[in-house]
Amino acid sequence: MTSRAAGSCARWWKQGHEQSCSYAHWLRLVLKQNVFAHFRKAAPEQKGFLLMEYVFSLAAGAVLAALVCTGLGRTALSWQRLQEQLALQQAGGYMQSLLERHLGYNATAIHIKSTGELELDTIMGNKKLLLYCRNGGLYLQTTTGNGKGTNPLFIAGVEVSQWQAAKLNDNSLRISFTLANTQGSGRQRHWEQIYRCYNGEVFDEEG
């Protein structure tokens, strides 16, 4: 074989080898793209929420809302009960302070009637007082030379019941009554107090 023929064969072989390499490279690229495309189709990316996840979210939200509503309801109920207790406390304290003033310091004689009414002679000779419980309220009737007048000794919204007065000795008596809140749950509280007549004596009509 001549040198020219050998050179031609070498060039032909080189060109064929390069062409075959390019074909092989192209084939590898095609296979690679097809395989990746197959896997992407087999395992697609999940975007958004599935129906089951959405249902679970709604259920969790409903449970949370129920817990919140229950807690708010209990808080409101506790607050209402606290307000009723404070109202009874204020009403009882107010009534006891007025009874202490009239029975302990203004009265020179206290007459306990069979009806539970209290007739009071006072340090002002021309003034007489009458304490009585009627129609769910406690009242103080004042009698002077100019006439009579009646004032309530209880707070609106609170009912007075089970009024009782009993003599303990010549200078003291025990008074008990029950207060009920007429607004709300009707919560009740019983009060009992001993009063001393510092300026006079206690008389029991039944005794």
Side-chain angles (χ1 to χ4, degrees), residues 20-189:
S20 63
C21 289
S22 64
Y23 284 144
H25 180 67
W26 175 80
L27 182 60
R28 285 197 300 271
L29 290 176
V30 171
L31 290 174
K32 187 177 181 180
Q33 291 177 357
N34 289 336
V35 170
F36 286 167
H38 174 73
F39 280 111
R40 282 196 296 268
K41 291 181 180 179
E45 294 182 359
Q46 296 182 357
K47 296 182 179 180
F49 290 99
L50 297 177
L51 179 60
M52 190 61 67
E53 294 175 345
Y54 183 68
V55 172
F56 284 156
S57 300
L58 290 179
V63 172
L64 182 60
L67 292 175
V68 171
C69 292
T70 302
L72 291 177
R74 290 179 179 176
T75 301
L77 182 60
S78 299
W79 176 250
Q80 181 181 0
R81 290 177 178 174
L82 179 60
Q83 286 184 320
E84 292 177 359
Q85 291 177 355
L86 290 176
L88 293 178
Q89 180 68 31
Q90 292 176 351
Y94 171 74
M95 292 173 60
Q96 285 186 323
S97 64
L98 292 178
L99 292 174
E100 178 72 24
R101 185 178 70 183
H102 292 299
L103 299 177
Y105 300 100
N106 293 340
T108 56
I110 300 174
H111 303 271
I112 302 176
K113 313 295 285 184
S114 59
T115 56
E117 298 178 345
L118 301 179
E119 289 185 350
L120 281 66
D121 298 330
T122 67
I123 55 177
M124 301 177 62
N126 62 338
K127 178 185 290 187
K128 292 185 179 293
L129 304 177
L130 178 66
L131 276 167
Y132 62 93
C133 183
R134 187 176 302 168
N135 299 326
L138 182 65
Y139 299 92
L140 176 66
Q141 183 184 85
T142 304
T143 303
T144 64
N146 297 325
K148 295 181 180 180
T150 303
N151 295 313
L153 297 185
F154 65 101
I155 297 178
V158 176
E159 184 179 63
V160 185
S161 62
Q162 301 179 18
W163 170 269
Q164 292 182 349
K167 177 181 177 180
L168 297 180
N169 52 53
D170 291 341
N171 301 107
S172 61
L173 72 162
R174 181 180 63 247
I175 292 180
S176 61
F177 55 89
T178 299
L179 298 181
N181 196 316
T182 59
Q183 301 175 354
S185 63
R187 184 177 297 274
Q188 296 183 354
R189 180 171 177 179

